[in-house]
Amino acid sequence: MSGPRIRWKLRALLDREGVSAYALTQTLSGKVAPNTVYAFARGTTKRPDLEALAWVLWALRKLTGKPYGVQDLLEYEEP
């Protein structure tokens, strides 16, 4: 039996917006390490840094002009 989990939605958001993870890393240059952005996009990060999440949201807003929030990056799933 598996328990509840948090699922990443960043890859789907990037695909939907036509924004590459590379473009996101370029926008975040000097703020969030590229490896962190790629790990977020792959959904492999289990304990994301809150400051990095905030910067990713900032960059997404800058790139798309849309008011994205944490709920657009992460989703809670019941077992």
Side-chain angles (χ1 to χ4, degrees):
M1 179 176 157
S2 65
R5 69 183 204 119
I6 299 293
R7 184 181 67 83
W8 281 97
K9 299 183 342 183
L10 180 57
R11 169 54 54 205
L13 187 153
L14 292 174
D15 291 346
R16 190 170 57 249
E17 290 293 343
V19 174
S20 68
Y22 178 78
L24 195 56
T25 65
Q26 294 301 298
T27 304
L28 290 166
S29 180
K31 296 169 181 62
V32 178
N35 286 344
T36 300
V37 175
Y38 289 122
F40 284 6
R42 284 190 310 271
T44 57
T45 302
K46 300 296 181 196
R47 295 182 181 193
D49 178 79
L50 295 180
E51 186 174 348
L53 278 176
W55 278 114
V56 167
L57 289 169
W58 170 85
L60 287 169
R61 289 173 176 205
K62 185 173 181 172
L63 289 167
T64 67
K66 296 179 181 176
Y68 285 112
V70 174
Q71 72 281 2
D72 297 305
L73 301 181
L74 301 169
E75 178 178 56
Y76 174 77
E77 291 183 337
E78 290 286 340

